[in-house]
Amino acid sequence: PRTIEQREACAPRLATIPQCPYAQRVWIVLEELGVPYNKTIIDLREKPAWYIDAINPRGKVPAIRDLADGTVVVESLVANEYLVERFGGQ
């Protein structure tokens, strides 16, 4: 079994804004699955270049980046399916 530190180092990163209902869907699934995760707030008025270059070229939220293998998933329904498949059996 991995230590807490190892799990947190590989925890998915949720790119979000607090008022986005689509991002809230992903947050709820993460919470319900009990998956440790890190949250990054994205300023949609001044989208960071690193976000557009590496995560979502469209600059929208939510997006999940799974640090365990580098997988990036955008769009809330697809992200939720990914999270359930990846973490649902743990």
Side-chain angles (χ1 to χ4, degrees), residues 14-18 20-41 62-64 76 79-80 83:
L14 170 62
T16 185
I17 59 172
C20 176
Y22 303 107
Q24 289 172 2
R25 287 180 185 172
V26 178
W27 169 75
I28 290 168
V29 169
L30 285 163
E31 290 289 325
E32 288 294 318
L33 291 172
V35 176
Y37 64 96
N38 297 299
K39 182 169 41 173
T40 303
I41 305 297
I64 288 281
S76 64
N80 287 345
L83 291 169

Side-chain angles (χ1 to χ4, degrees), residues 13-89:
R13 296 195 182 269
L14 170 62
T16 185
I17 59 172
Q19 62 272 35
C20 176
Y22 303 107
Q24 289 172 2
R25 287 180 185 172
V26 178
W27 169 75
I28 290 168
V29 169
L30 285 163
E31 290 289 325
E32 288 294 318
L33 291 172
V35 176
Y37 64 96
N38 297 299
K39 182 169 41 173
T40 303
I41 305 297
I42 302 297
D43 182 347
L44 294 180
R45 288 172 281 157
E46 295 184 31
K47 299 168 188 155
W50 64 263
Y51 186 70
I52 292 171
D53 293 342
I55 306 298
N56 189 346
R58 295 174 51 203
K60 295 185 175 188
V61 296
I64 288 281
R65 182 168 186 214
D66 189 342
L67 296 181
D69 64 5
T71 298
V72 174
V73 184
V74 297
E75 302 295 334
S76 64
L77 295 177
V78 177
N80 287 345
E81 287 176 12
Y82 173 80
L83 291 169
V84 169
E85 288 177 14
R86 171 93 165 78
F87 300 103

